Structure formats: C-alpha cells, structure tokens
Amino acid sequence: MARAAAARLITRIVDAQAARGTASVVLTGGRNGNALLTALAESPARDAVDWARLDVWWGDERFLPDGDPERNVTQAAALLDAVPVDPARVHPMAPSDGPYGSDVDAAAEAYAAELAAAAGTEGHGRVPAFDVLMLGVGPDTHVASLFPEHPGVRERTRTVIGVRGAPKPPPVRISLTLPAIRAAHEVWLLAAGEDKAGAVAMALSAPGELQAPASGAQGLSRTLWLLDRAAAAKLPRDLYPAASS
C-alpha cells in the first residue's frame, strides 16, 4: 500500500507542478503515513518531482518538544532529509518548547494564521488549495487528531485547533479541523493491516463523522481510500465494484 500510494503521490505532484509550477501536500504520521514517506524516499521515480517547488504541511502534530522522536515532523526526516526540499516551504506545527511554550491553543492559532497567509487570494481564503491531503485512519476511525465524539470533530469555524485529552497518547496535540481538510482538492485516507479493518468498514458504512471522523474527511474533487487486503477485509460486499462478465 505504501509503495502504491507513493507512486500515486509522485504522479499527482508532477501533474500539479506541470499545470501551475508548484504543488502543495499535507503529510500524515503514524505507521501508514511514515511507511509512505519511506517509500517516497526510496522510489526511483522521486526525482521526477521538483522538490524545491513543493509546499509541505501537516494534518496534525503531537505537542511535544522539538526533535522528540514521536513528533510527525521528526519522523518525516526519512523523506525530507533525502530530497532537496526548500526549508522555507516546509511548514511544521510548533513544538511544546517553541515560541508559544505550553500554550497549545496559541500554537494552533499561529498555524491557522500561517495557512491563511499562504492561501492568499484563493477562493476559500483560510487554507491553501492543497493538491493532496493525506490522512492515516486510526483503529477507532480517527483522522489527524480528530477523535470520535471529541469536541474537535464538531468544530465548524476554526481551521486548526488545540486538542486536549486525546485518547491516544500524548493527550495534547494540534490538528486541522474537518473544514480545513475538506478544502483540499484531494483527500487520501491510508489504512493497512488487519487492526484497521473494523475502522475502515465502519467509516465507509456512513455512520456519521461524530462517531467515525474518517467518514467526514472528503476532498473537493476526490476522496481516495488506499487500503491493503487486510484493511479491506471487513468491507461490505456492496462497496466492491461489480465483477466483470
């Protein structure tokens, strides 16, 4: 799944850069997101991307000190250290020992302001028109740091929020909201492994975003689920394409 997703992402970035000169992606962490980043770094096709003309954002972050191995941006070094990205176009969320200290809400507001500044005169005006926004799907159907029944999944006004009391450690995080996620041209949801099968089946059975945040993650022009066989094992048969005759 990681290799297939990496190949698709390279193609999508190249197409966007051919059309506009630049591209913008939102990375995700976790087991599946990090596997994709490793696959990108190892792909022989990676040099087709003009990495200097790529903006890199994150969908969420663990609010931990700079350099902590659990931070998504730290783990993304597997890719970012292997390709010639422009550091000015890499946009990490603030750490807990950064300019906002332990104030996660201030850190979230600063990221929202950075997104709005990058959006410029684009139609929606609050976040850039991301070409691809990637999300790992958790075993409980969470995406980014939006957890079932938590206040963050109900947010309709802000684009970035501070998260407290997350059921998955660490409890304090920063996350894009569903309105920000839905501003992306394409949203890709990644899930591999049998521990994700129940979450995938639930999210694709349309229970509602409060119970299954992954079901509320949708792109403006495309929503793509990238699964391996194990993660797809519990999907209802009516979600499979009809067999060809």
Side-chain angles (χ1 to χ4, degrees), residues 9 12-14 16-17 20-27 49-50 53-58 89 91 115 118-119 122 127-134 184-186:
L9 184 59
R12 185 68 185 88
I13 293 171
V14 169
Q17 290 180 335
R20 298 193 321 276
T22 64
S24 178
V25 300
V26 179
L27 302 183
V49 172
D50 186 342
R53 293 189 294 134
L54 178 70
D55 282 288
V56 178
W57 304 85
W58 273 266
R89 301 184 78 158
H91 308 274
L115 286 166
E122 292 176 297
V127 297
F130 305 121
D131 292 292
V132 177
L133 185 151
M134 293 177 288
H185 286 299
E186 297 190 12

PDB file of all heavy atoms in Angstrom, residues 9 12-14 16-17 20-27 49-50 53-58 89 91 115 118-119 122 127-134 184-186:
ATOM      1  N   LEU A   9       1.287   9.488  -5.470  1.00  0.00           N
ATOM      2  CA  LEU A   9       1.578  10.844  -4.999  1.00  0.00           C
ATOM      3  C   LEU A   9       2.604  11.530  -5.897  1.00  0.00           C
ATOM      4  O   LEU A   9       2.464  12.724  -6.212  1.00  0.00           O
ATOM      5  CB  LEU A   9       2.068  10.805  -3.551  1.00  0.00           C
ATOM      6  CG  LEU A   9       2.307  12.167  -2.904  1.00  0.00           C
ATOM      7  CD1 LEU A   9       1.032  13.007  -2.891  1.00  0.00           C
ATOM      8  CD2 LEU A   9       2.850  12.000  -1.486  1.00  0.00           C
ATOM      9  N   ARG A  12       0.786  12.688  -8.907  1.00  0.00           N
ATOM     10  CA  ARG A  12      -0.095  13.826  -8.625  1.00  0.00           C
ATOM     11  C   ARG A  12       0.698  15.117  -8.461  1.00  0.00           C
ATOM     12  O   ARG A  12       0.287  16.184  -8.942  1.00  0.00           O
ATOM     13  CB  ARG A  12      -0.918  13.545  -7.363  1.00  0.00           C
ATOM     14  CG  ARG A  12      -1.945  14.607  -7.043  1.00  0.00           C
ATOM     15  CD  ARG A  12      -3.067  14.628  -8.064  1.00  0.00           C
ATOM     16  NE  ARG A  12      -3.995  15.721  -7.825  1.00  0.00           N
ATOM     17  CZ  ARG A  12      -3.844  16.947  -8.318  1.00  0.00           C
ATOM     18  NH1 ARG A  12      -2.806  17.235  -9.098  1.00  0.00           N
ATOM     19  NH2 ARG A  12      -4.745  17.878  -8.060  1.00  0.00           N
ATOM     20  N   ILE A  13       1.834  15.057  -7.782  1.00  0.00           N
ATOM     21  CA  ILE A  13       2.661  16.247  -7.596  1.00  0.00           C
ATOM     22  C   ILE A  13       3.215  16.728  -8.932  1.00  0.00           C
ATOM     23  O   ILE A  13       3.200  17.920  -9.241  1.00  0.00           O
ATOM     24  CB  ILE A  13       3.800  15.958  -6.595  1.00  0.00           C
ATOM     25  CG1 ILE A  13       3.245  15.725  -5.185  1.00  0.00           C
ATOM     26  CG2 ILE A  13       4.798  17.121  -6.576  1.00  0.00           C
ATOM     27  CD1 ILE A  13       4.285  15.232  -4.195  1.00  0.00           C
ATOM     28  N   VAL A  14       3.713  15.795  -9.733  1.00  0.00           N
ATOM     29  CA  VAL A  14       4.265  16.159 -11.037  1.00  0.00           C
ATOM     30  C   VAL A  14       3.198  16.814 -11.906  1.00  0.00           C
ATOM     31  O   VAL A  14       3.446  17.823 -12.574  1.00  0.00           O
ATOM     32  CB  VAL A  14       4.866  14.914 -11.726  1.00  0.00           C
ATOM     33  CG1 VAL A  14       5.195  15.211 -13.190  1.00  0.00           C
ATOM     34  CG2 VAL A  14       6.115  14.449 -10.990  1.00  0.00           C
ATOM     35  N   ALA A  16       0.523  18.456 -10.882  1.00  0.00           N
ATOM     36  CA  ALA A  16       0.218  19.781 -10.344  1.00  0.00           C
ATOM     37  C   ALA A  16       1.307  20.782 -10.703  1.00  0.00           C
ATOM     38  O   ALA A  16       1.020  21.934 -11.071  1.00  0.00           O
ATOM     39  CB  ALA A  16       0.042  19.701  -8.828  1.00  0.00           C
ATOM     40  N   GLN A  17       2.558  20.364 -10.621  1.00  0.00           N
ATOM     41  CA  GLN A  17       3.651  21.270 -10.949  1.00  0.00           C
ATOM     42  C   GLN A  17       3.678  21.592 -12.444  1.00  0.00           C
ATOM     43  O   GLN A  17       4.010  22.718 -12.829  1.00  0.00           O
ATOM     44  CB  GLN A  17       4.983  20.660 -10.501  1.00  0.00           C
ATOM     45  CG  GLN A  17       5.131  20.628  -8.982  1.00  0.00           C
ATOM     46  CD  GLN A  17       6.446  20.039  -8.514  1.00  0.00           C
ATOM     47  OE1 GLN A  17       7.058  19.242  -9.222  1.00  0.00           O
ATOM     48  NE2 GLN A  17       6.884  20.434  -7.342  1.00  0.00           N
ATOM     49  N   ARG A  20       0.741  24.224 -12.730  1.00  0.00           N
ATOM     50  CA  ARG A  20       0.810  25.518 -12.051  1.00  0.00           C
ATOM     51  C   ARG A  20       2.211  25.965 -11.669  1.00  0.00           C
ATOM     52  O   ARG A  20       2.411  27.073 -11.205  1.00  0.00           O
ATOM     53  CB  ARG A  20      -0.027  25.487 -10.761  1.00  0.00           C
ATOM     54  CG  ARG A  20      -1.499  25.253 -10.930  1.00  0.00           C
ATOM     55  CD  ARG A  20      -2.233  25.574  -9.617  1.00  0.00           C
ATOM     56  NE  ARG A  20      -1.493  25.149  -8.457  1.00  0.00           N
ATOM     57  CZ  ARG A  20      -1.522  23.906  -7.966  1.00  0.00           C
ATOM     58  NH1 ARG A  20      -2.232  22.975  -8.544  1.00  0.00           N
ATOM     59  NH2 ARG A  20      -0.829  23.607  -6.887  1.00  0.00           N
ATOM     60  N   GLY A  21       3.161  25.065 -11.778  1.00  0.00           N
ATOM     61  CA  GLY A  21       4.523  25.393 -11.379  1.00  0.00           C
ATOM     62  C   GLY A  21       4.855  24.976  -9.961  1.00  0.00           C
ATOM     63  O   GLY A  21       6.023  24.789  -9.622  1.00  0.00           O
ATOM     64  N   THR A  22       3.852  24.838  -9.095  1.00  0.00           N
ATOM     65  CA  THR A  22       4.065  24.438  -7.716  1.00  0.00           C
ATOM     66  C   THR A  22       3.048  23.366  -7.335  1.00  0.00           C
ATOM     67  O   THR A  22       2.109  23.094  -8.069  1.00  0.00           O
ATOM     68  CB  THR A  22       3.910  25.626  -6.755  1.00  0.00           C
ATOM     69  OG1 THR A  22       2.554  26.101  -6.808  1.00  0.00           O
ATOM     70  CG2 THR A  22       4.860  26.755  -7.104  1.00  0.00           C
ATOM     71  N   ALA A  23       3.250  22.792  -6.174  1.00  0.00           N
ATOM     72  CA  ALA A  23       2.288  21.836  -5.620  1.00  0.00           C
ATOM     73  C   ALA A  23       2.298  21.967  -4.108  1.00  0.00           C
ATOM     74  O   ALA A  23       3.242  22.497  -3.512  1.00  0.00           O
ATOM     75  CB  ALA A  23       2.625  20.405  -6.037  1.00  0.00           C
ATOM     76  N   SER A  24       1.232  21.483  -3.487  1.00  0.00           N
ATOM     77  CA  SER A  24       1.081  21.592  -2.037  1.00  0.00           C
ATOM     78  C   SER A  24       0.491  20.297  -1.505  1.00  0.00           C
ATOM     79  O   SER A  24      -0.549  19.838  -1.991  1.00  0.00           O
ATOM     80  CB  SER A  24       0.163  22.771  -1.693  1.00  0.00           C
ATOM     81  OG  SER A  24      -0.034  22.887  -0.302  1.00  0.00           O
ATOM     82  N   VAL A  25       1.157  19.698  -0.518  1.00  0.00           N
ATOM     83  CA  VAL A  25       0.671  18.454   0.068  1.00  0.00           C
ATOM     84  C   VAL A  25       0.641  18.566   1.579  1.00  0.00           C
ATOM     85  O   VAL A  25       1.388  19.345   2.181  1.00  0.00           O
ATOM     86  CB  VAL A  25       1.528  17.243  -0.353  1.00  0.00           C
ATOM     87  CG1 VAL A  25       1.527  17.059  -1.865  1.00  0.00           C
ATOM     88  CG2 VAL A  25       2.942  17.354   0.187  1.00  0.00           C
ATOM     89  N   VAL A  26      -0.243  17.783   2.174  1.00  0.00           N
ATOM     90  CA  VAL A  26      -0.335  17.682   3.626  1.00  0.00           C
ATOM     91  C   VAL A  26       0.051  16.260   4.010  1.00  0.00           C
ATOM     92  O   VAL A  26      -0.570  15.295   3.546  1.00  0.00           O
ATOM     93  CB  VAL A  26      -1.754  18.001   4.131  1.00  0.00           C
ATOM     94  CG1 VAL A  26      -1.827  17.855   5.644  1.00  0.00           C
ATOM     95  CG2 VAL A  26      -2.158  19.412   3.710  1.00  0.00           C
ATOM     96  N   LEU A  27       1.088  16.138   4.837  1.00  0.00           N
ATOM     97  CA  LEU A  27       1.581  14.832   5.239  1.00  0.00           C
ATOM     98  C   LEU A  27       0.866  14.345   6.490  1.00  0.00           C
ATOM     99  O   LEU A  27       0.291  15.127   7.256  1.00  0.00           O
ATOM    100  CB  LEU A  27       3.085  14.895   5.507  1.00  0.00           C
ATOM    101  CG  LEU A  27       3.982  15.363   4.363  1.00  0.00           C
ATOM    102  CD1 LEU A  27       5.445  15.294   4.791  1.00  0.00           C
ATOM    103  CD2 LEU A  27       3.750  14.531   3.106  1.00  0.00           C
ATOM    104  N   VAL A  49       9.913  14.738  -9.297  1.00  0.00           N
ATOM    105  CA  VAL A  49       9.343  15.864  -8.546  1.00  0.00           C
ATOM    106  C   VAL A  49      10.370  16.980  -8.433  1.00  0.00           C
ATOM    107  O   VAL A  49      11.551  16.743  -8.166  1.00  0.00           O
ATOM    108  CB  VAL A  49       8.915  15.409  -7.131  1.00  0.00           C
ATOM    109  CG1 VAL A  49       8.495  16.601  -6.278  1.00  0.00           C
ATOM    110  CG2 VAL A  49       7.795  14.376  -7.212  1.00  0.00           C
ATOM    111  N   ASP A  50       9.921  18.208  -8.634  1.00  0.00           N
ATOM    112  CA  ASP A  50      10.760  19.370  -8.337  1.00  0.00           C
ATOM    113  C   ASP A  50      10.517  19.719  -6.873  1.00  0.00           C
ATOM    114  O   ASP A  50       9.611  20.475  -6.532  1.00  0.00           O
ATOM    115  CB  ASP A  50      10.393  20.542  -9.247  1.00  0.00           C
ATOM    116  CG  ASP A  50      11.339  21.728  -9.072  1.00  0.00           C
ATOM    117  OD1 ASP A  50      12.045  21.774  -8.037  1.00  0.00           O
ATOM    118  OD2 ASP A  50      11.362  22.596  -9.943  1.00  0.00           O
ATOM    119  N   ARG A  53       9.899  23.178  -5.386  1.00  0.00           N
ATOM    120  CA  ARG A  53       8.644  23.871  -5.662  1.00  0.00           C
ATOM    121  C   ARG A  53       7.451  23.135  -5.035  1.00  0.00           C
ATOM    122  O   ARG A  53       6.348  23.185  -5.545  1.00  0.00           O
ATOM    123  CB  ARG A  53       8.458  24.025  -7.175  1.00  0.00           C
ATOM    124  CG  ARG A  53       9.483  24.948  -7.810  1.00  0.00           C
ATOM    125  CD  ARG A  53       9.148  25.252  -9.266  1.00  0.00           C
ATOM    126  NE  ARG A  53       9.246  24.054 -10.092  1.00  0.00           N
ATOM    127  CZ  ARG A  53       8.332  23.678 -10.994  1.00  0.00           C
ATOM    128  NH1 ARG A  53       7.245  24.400 -11.175  1.00  0.00           N
ATOM    129  NH2 ARG A  53       8.508  22.592 -11.711  1.00  0.00           N
ATOM    130  N   LEU A  54       7.716  22.504  -3.911  1.00  0.00           N
ATOM    131  CA  LEU A  54       6.665  21.776  -3.189  1.00  0.00           C
ATOM    132  C   LEU A  54       6.494  22.366  -1.797  1.00  0.00           C
ATOM    133  O   LEU A  54       7.470  22.513  -1.054  1.00  0.00           O
ATOM    134  CB  LEU A  54       7.031  20.298  -3.076  1.00  0.00           C
ATOM    135  CG  LEU A  54       6.037  19.428  -2.309  1.00  0.00           C
ATOM    136  CD1 LEU A  54       4.739  19.262  -3.090  1.00  0.00           C
ATOM    137  CD2 LEU A  54       6.643  18.067  -1.981  1.00  0.00           C
ATOM    138  N   ASP A  55       5.260  22.724  -1.448  1.00  0.00           N
ATOM    139  CA  ASP A  55       4.950  23.135  -0.076  1.00  0.00           C
ATOM    140  C   ASP A  55       4.480  21.922   0.716  1.00  0.00           C
ATOM    141  O   ASP A  55       3.632  21.151   0.243  1.00  0.00           O
ATOM    142  CB  ASP A  55       3.860  24.208  -0.079  1.00  0.00           C
ATOM    143  CG  ASP A  55       4.407  25.565  -0.448  1.00  0.00           C
ATOM    144  OD1 ASP A  55       5.118  26.145   0.387  1.00  0.00           O
ATOM    145  OD2 ASP A  55       4.143  26.032  -1.575  1.00  0.00           O
ATOM    146  N   VAL A  56       5.029  21.774   1.916  1.00  0.00           N
ATOM    147  CA  VAL A  56       4.744  20.622   2.772  1.00  0.00           C
ATOM    148  C   VAL A  56       4.110  21.101   4.073  1.00  0.00           C
ATOM    149  O   VAL A  56       4.686  21.931   4.786  1.00  0.00           O
ATOM    150  CB  VAL A  56       6.029  19.823   3.071  1.00  0.00           C
ATOM    151  CG1 VAL A  56       5.735  18.657   3.993  1.00  0.00           C
ATOM    152  CG2 VAL A  56       6.670  19.325   1.773  1.00  0.00           C
ATOM    153  N   TRP A  57       2.938  20.571   4.368  1.00  0.00           N
ATOM    154  CA  TRP A  57       2.192  20.890   5.578  1.00  0.00           C
ATOM    155  C   TRP A  57       1.905  19.602   6.337  1.00  0.00           C
ATOM    156  O   TRP A  57       2.164  18.512   5.844  1.00  0.00           O
ATOM    157  CB  TRP A  57       0.880  21.601   5.230  1.00  0.00           C
ATOM    158  CG  TRP A  57       1.033  22.847   4.417  1.00  0.00           C
ATOM    159  CD1 TRP A  57       1.140  22.948   3.051  1.00  0.00           C
ATOM    160  CD2 TRP A  57       1.104  24.191   4.919  1.00  0.00           C
ATOM    161  NE1 TRP A  57       1.274  24.257   2.673  1.00  0.00           N
ATOM    162  CE2 TRP A  57       1.251  25.048   3.793  1.00  0.00           C
ATOM    163  CE3 TRP A  57       1.031  24.752   6.190  1.00  0.00           C
ATOM    164  CZ2 TRP A  57       1.332  26.423   3.906  1.00  0.00           C
ATOM    165  CZ3 TRP A  57       1.120  26.136   6.304  1.00  0.00           C
ATOM    166  CH2 TRP A  57       1.269  26.955   5.181  1.00  0.00           C
ATOM    167  N   TRP A  58       1.340  19.757   7.540  1.00  0.00           N
ATOM    168  CA  TRP A  58       0.940  18.585   8.320  1.00  0.00           C
ATOM    169  C   TRP A  58      -0.518  18.690   8.743  1.00  0.00           C
ATOM    170  O   TRP A  58      -1.029  19.787   8.987  1.00  0.00           O
ATOM    171  CB  TRP A  58       1.822  18.434   9.565  1.00  0.00           C
ATOM    172  CG  TRP A  58       3.061  17.666   9.275  1.00  0.00           C
ATOM    173  CD1 TRP A  58       3.266  16.325   9.441  1.00  0.00           C
ATOM    174  CD2 TRP A  58       4.285  18.164   8.727  1.00  0.00           C
ATOM    175  NE1 TRP A  58       4.525  15.974   9.022  1.00  0.00           N
ATOM    176  CE2 TRP A  58       5.173  17.081   8.582  1.00  0.00           C
ATOM    177  CE3 TRP A  58       4.707  19.439   8.327  1.00  0.00           C
ATOM    178  CZ2 TRP A  58       6.464  17.218   8.072  1.00  0.00           C
ATOM    179  CZ3 TRP A  58       5.990  19.587   7.802  1.00  0.00           C
ATOM    180  CH2 TRP A  58       6.856  18.494   7.687  1.00  0.00           C
ATOM    181  N   ARG A  89       9.643  26.221   2.570  1.00  0.00           N
ATOM    182  CA  ARG A  89       8.353  25.707   2.128  1.00  0.00           C
ATOM    183  C   ARG A  89       7.921  24.483   2.921  1.00  0.00           C
ATOM    184  O   ARG A  89       6.964  23.794   2.555  1.00  0.00           O
ATOM    185  CB  ARG A  89       8.409  25.406   0.627  1.00  0.00           C
ATOM    186  CG  ARG A  89       8.753  26.640  -0.191  1.00  0.00           C
ATOM    187  CD  ARG A  89       8.716  26.413  -1.681  1.00  0.00           C
ATOM    188  NE  ARG A  89       7.343  26.399  -2.169  1.00  0.00           N
ATOM    189  CZ  ARG A  89       7.024  26.647  -3.441  1.00  0.00           C
ATOM    190  NH1 ARG A  89       7.974  26.937  -4.327  1.00  0.00           N
ATOM    191  NH2 ARG A  89       5.771  26.610  -3.828  1.00  0.00           N
ATOM    192  N   HIS A  91       6.404  23.434   6.488  1.00  0.00           N
ATOM    193  CA  HIS A  91       5.619  24.158   7.489  1.00  0.00           C
ATOM    194  C   HIS A  91       5.239  23.247   8.663  1.00  0.00           C
ATOM    195  O   HIS A  91       4.112  22.753   8.740  1.00  0.00           O
ATOM    196  CB  HIS A  91       4.355  24.723   6.840  1.00  0.00           C
ATOM    197  CG  HIS A  91       4.601  25.513   5.606  1.00  0.00           C
ATOM    198  ND1 HIS A  91       4.905  26.859   5.634  1.00  0.00           N
ATOM    199  CD2 HIS A  91       4.603  25.153   4.292  1.00  0.00           C
ATOM    200  CE1 HIS A  91       5.071  27.301   4.401  1.00  0.00           C
ATOM    201  NE2 HIS A  91       4.894  26.281   3.571  1.00  0.00           N
ATOM    202  N   LEU A 115      -1.446  29.223   7.589  1.00  0.00           N
ATOM    203  CA  LEU A 115      -2.245  28.668   6.496  1.00  0.00           C
ATOM    204  C   LEU A 115      -2.989  29.770   5.747  1.00  0.00           C
ATOM    205  O   LEU A 115      -3.018  29.787   4.514  1.00  0.00           O
ATOM    206  CB  LEU A 115      -3.242  27.646   7.049  1.00  0.00           C
ATOM    207  CG  LEU A 115      -2.680  26.301   7.489  1.00  0.00           C
ATOM    208  CD1 LEU A 115      -3.714  25.545   8.322  1.00  0.00           C
ATOM    209  CD2 LEU A 115      -2.258  25.459   6.293  1.00  0.00           C
ATOM    210  N   ALA A 118      -0.716  31.755   3.541  1.00  0.00           N
ATOM    211  CA  ALA A 118      -0.325  31.007   2.347  1.00  0.00           C
ATOM    212  C   ALA A 118      -1.473  30.887   1.361  1.00  0.00           C
ATOM    213  O   ALA A 118      -1.251  30.745   0.152  1.00  0.00           O
ATOM    214  CB  ALA A 118       0.174  29.620   2.739  1.00  0.00           C
ATOM    215  N   ALA A 119      -2.715  30.931   1.860  1.00  0.00           N
ATOM    216  CA  ALA A 119      -3.876  30.813   0.977  1.00  0.00           C
ATOM    217  C   ALA A 119      -3.990  32.005   0.055  1.00  0.00           C
ATOM    218  O   ALA A 119      -4.468  31.893  -1.076  1.00  0.00           O
ATOM    219  CB  ALA A 119      -5.149  30.664   1.811  1.00  0.00           C
ATOM    220  N   GLU A 122      -6.808  32.806  -2.862  1.00  0.00           N
ATOM    221  CA  GLU A 122      -7.554  31.641  -3.314  1.00  0.00           C
ATOM    222  C   GLU A 122      -8.987  31.717  -2.807  1.00  0.00           C
ATOM    223  O   GLU A 122      -9.283  32.351  -1.793  1.00  0.00           O
ATOM    224  CB  GLU A 122      -6.877  30.355  -2.825  1.00  0.00           C
ATOM    225  CG  GLU A 122      -5.519  30.123  -3.489  1.00  0.00           C
ATOM    226  CD  GLU A 122      -4.809  28.906  -2.931  1.00  0.00           C
ATOM    227  OE1 GLU A 122      -4.498  28.922  -1.734  1.00  0.00           O
ATOM    228  OE2 GLU A 122      -4.569  27.973  -3.688  1.00  0.00           O
ATOM    229  N   VAL A 127      -7.271  28.408   4.014  1.00  0.00           N
ATOM    230  CA  VAL A 127      -6.199  27.428   3.887  1.00  0.00           C
ATOM    231  C   VAL A 127      -5.802  27.357   2.415  1.00  0.00           C
ATOM    232  O   VAL A 127      -6.604  27.667   1.534  1.00  0.00           O
ATOM    233  CB  VAL A 127      -6.601  26.019   4.382  1.00  0.00           C
ATOM    234  CG1 VAL A 127      -6.916  26.037   5.869  1.00  0.00           C
ATOM    235  CG2 VAL A 127      -7.777  25.475   3.598  1.00  0.00           C
ATOM    236  N   PRO A 128      -4.561  26.966   2.122  1.00  0.00           N
ATOM    237  CA  PRO A 128      -4.173  26.815   0.719  1.00  0.00           C
ATOM    238  C   PRO A 128      -5.014  25.742   0.030  1.00  0.00           C
ATOM    239  O   PRO A 128      -5.625  24.893   0.688  1.00  0.00           O
ATOM    240  CB  PRO A 128      -2.699  26.387   0.809  1.00  0.00           C
ATOM    241  CG  PRO A 128      -2.250  26.804   2.169  1.00  0.00           C
ATOM    242  CD  PRO A 128      -3.456  26.691   3.047  1.00  0.00           C
ATOM    243  N   ALA A 129      -5.029  25.782  -1.274  1.00  0.00           N
ATOM    244  CA  ALA A 129      -5.730  24.753  -2.056  1.00  0.00           C
ATOM    245  C   ALA A 129      -4.811  23.541  -2.171  1.00  0.00           C
ATOM    246  O   ALA A 129      -4.142  23.337  -3.187  1.00  0.00           O
ATOM    247  CB  ALA A 129      -6.108  25.294  -3.425  1.00  0.00           C
ATOM    248  N   PHE A 130      -4.751  22.741  -1.111  1.00  0.00           N
ATOM    249  CA  PHE A 130      -3.865  21.581  -1.098  1.00  0.00           C
ATOM    250  C   PHE A 130      -4.184  20.662  -2.279  1.00  0.00           C
ATOM    251  O   PHE A 130      -5.341  20.331  -2.532  1.00  0.00           O
ATOM    252  CB  PHE A 130      -4.044  20.788   0.191  1.00  0.00           C
ATOM    253  CG  PHE A 130      -3.863  21.582   1.458  1.00  0.00           C
ATOM    254  CD1 PHE A 130      -4.893  21.664   2.381  1.00  0.00           C
ATOM    255  CD2 PHE A 130      -2.673  22.234   1.733  1.00  0.00           C
ATOM    256  CE1 PHE A 130      -4.744  22.383   3.557  1.00  0.00           C
ATOM    257  CE2 PHE A 130      -2.512  22.958   2.902  1.00  0.00           C
ATOM    258  CZ  PHE A 130      -3.548  23.027   3.814  1.00  0.00           C
ATOM    259  N   ASP A 131      -3.143  20.228  -2.977  1.00  0.00           N
ATOM    260  CA  ASP A 131      -3.360  19.264  -4.054  1.00  0.00           C
ATOM    261  C   ASP A 131      -3.744  17.909  -3.492  1.00  0.00           C
ATOM    262  O   ASP A 131      -4.675  17.269  -3.990  1.00  0.00           O
ATOM    263  CB  ASP A 131      -2.103  19.147  -4.918  1.00  0.00           C
ATOM    264  CG  ASP A 131      -1.842  20.422  -5.695  1.00  0.00           C
ATOM    265  OD1 ASP A 131      -2.634  20.731  -6.603  1.00  0.00           O
ATOM    266  OD2 ASP A 131      -0.869  21.128  -5.377  1.00  0.00           O
ATOM    267  N   VAL A 132      -3.029  17.470  -2.468  1.00  0.00           N
ATOM    268  CA  VAL A 132      -3.330  16.196  -1.805  1.00  0.00           C
ATOM    269  C   VAL A 132      -3.163  16.374  -0.305  1.00  0.00           C
ATOM    270  O   VAL A 132      -2.139  16.903   0.157  1.00  0.00           O
ATOM    271  CB  VAL A 132      -2.404  15.059  -2.289  1.00  0.00           C
ATOM    272  CG1 VAL A 132      -2.698  13.770  -1.515  1.00  0.00           C
ATOM    273  CG2 VAL A 132      -2.560  14.817  -3.786  1.00  0.00           C
ATOM    274  N   LEU A 133      -4.156  15.965   0.437  1.00  0.00           N
ATOM    275  CA  LEU A 133      -4.099  15.950   1.895  1.00  0.00           C
ATOM    276  C   LEU A 133      -4.230  14.495   2.326  1.00  0.00           C
ATOM    277  O   LEU A 133      -5.248  13.856   2.059  1.00  0.00           O
ATOM    278  CB  LEU A 133      -5.207  16.809   2.487  1.00  0.00           C
ATOM    279  CG  LEU A 133      -5.212  17.006   3.999  1.00  0.00           C
ATOM    280  CD1 LEU A 133      -5.833  18.355   4.363  1.00  0.00           C
ATOM    281  CD2 LEU A 133      -5.967  15.897   4.726  1.00  0.00           C
ATOM    282  N   MET A 134      -3.195  13.979   2.964  1.00  0.00           N
ATOM    283  CA  MET A 134      -3.169  12.567   3.355  1.00  0.00           C
ATOM    284  C   MET A 134      -3.497  12.408   4.832  1.00  0.00           C
ATOM    285  O   MET A 134      -3.063  13.196   5.671  1.00  0.00           O
ATOM    286  CB  MET A 134      -1.805  11.960   3.041  1.00  0.00           C
ATOM    287  CG  MET A 134      -1.528  11.875   1.551  1.00  0.00           C
ATOM    288  SD  MET A 134       0.118  11.225   1.173  1.00  0.00           S
ATOM    289  CE  MET A 134       1.128  12.621   1.666  1.00  0.00           C
ATOM    290  N   ALA A 184      -9.209  20.699   0.733  1.00  0.00           N
ATOM    291  CA  ALA A 184      -8.214  20.105  -0.150  1.00  0.00           C
ATOM    292  C   ALA A 184      -8.868  19.613  -1.436  1.00  0.00           C
ATOM    293  O   ALA A 184     -10.004  19.142  -1.437  1.00  0.00           O
ATOM    294  CB  ALA A 184      -7.523  18.942   0.548  1.00  0.00           C
ATOM    295  N   HIS A 185      -8.131  19.706  -2.534  1.00  0.00           N
ATOM    296  CA  HIS A 185      -8.645  19.160  -3.789  1.00  0.00           C
ATOM    297  C   HIS A 185      -8.868  17.655  -3.660  1.00  0.00           C
ATOM    298  O   HIS A 185      -9.912  17.132  -4.056  1.00  0.00           O
ATOM    299  CB  HIS A 185      -7.672  19.444  -4.936  1.00  0.00           C
ATOM    300  CG  HIS A 185      -7.670  20.872  -5.376  1.00  0.00           C
ATOM    301  ND1 HIS A 185      -8.788  21.489  -5.881  1.00  0.00           N
ATOM    302  CD2 HIS A 185      -6.690  21.810  -5.385  1.00  0.00           C
ATOM    303  CE1 HIS A 185      -8.501  22.750  -6.184  1.00  0.00           C
ATOM    304  NE2 HIS A 185      -7.238  22.972  -5.883  1.00  0.00           N
ATOM    305  N   GLU A 186      -7.856  16.964  -3.131  1.00  0.00           N
ATOM    306  CA  GLU A 186      -7.977  15.529  -2.955  1.00  0.00           C
ATOM    307  C   GLU A 186      -7.611  15.162  -1.519  1.00  0.00           C
ATOM    308  O   GLU A 186      -6.622  15.661  -0.977  1.00  0.00           O
ATOM    309  CB  GLU A 186      -7.056  14.775  -3.923  1.00  0.00           C
ATOM    310  CG  GLU A 186      -7.397  14.996  -5.386  1.00  0.00           C
ATOM    311  CD  GLU A 186      -6.639  14.071  -6.321  1.00  0.00           C
ATOM    312  OE1 GLU A 186      -6.020  13.090  -5.830  1.00  0.00           O
ATOM    313  OE2 GLU A 186      -6.676  14.308  -7.545  1.00  0.00           O
TER     314      GLU A 186
END
